[in-house]
Amino acid sequence: MFTESNFITCPIVDTHGVLVGVVRLEDLRPLLLSHHALEWLIAGDVCSSLEAVPQPASSLADALDMMAKDRLREIPVVEPGTHRVVGLLNQEKAERYIEEKWLAMNSHIAFAK
């Protein structure tokens, strides 16, 4: 997944699509030097569990807090109840979205120079 996308975090799911944890690109960097290790390692060997994960109805503020606690720049978003992964939230995009919404809501305010 890392070689085919710009993602730096890969959600790891079980056979039912339920989130098990994540593999971060930074967790793999030390292993990339050893081609032999990559042949026998599985995702579960380098997977990190998460303290909390957002759901689609979670506020962006809550989601960003969850990311900060686990030192992530991307975090899986899961369905309530099933914990099935429905997406991946990117910190930079979320912060940009918040900034754009704030600017749009406050465009009528004249800022003094």
Side-chain angles (χ1 to χ4, degrees), residues 4-5 16 57 63 70:
E4 299 169 1
S5 70
H16 303 289
D70 283 314

Side-chain angles (χ1 to χ4, degrees), residues 7-65:
F7 295 121
I8 55 174
T9 303
C10 179
I12 305 302
V13 297
D14 66 14
T15 56
H16 303 289
V18 176
L19 182 67
V20 174
V22 295
V23 173
R24 297 177 293 192
L25 184 58
E26 65 190 51
D27 296 334
L28 295 178
R29 281 199 178 108
L31 302 172
L32 294 176
L33 298 176
S34 172
H35 296 287
H36 300 294
L38 295 177
E39 293 173 9
W40 54 267
L41 275 174
I42 60 172
D45 293 333
V46 291
C47 179
S48 301
S49 61
L50 301 176
E51 187 173 316
V53 290
Q55 299 174 355
S58 297
S59 72
L60 283 179
D62 287 345
L64 290 170
D65 284 344

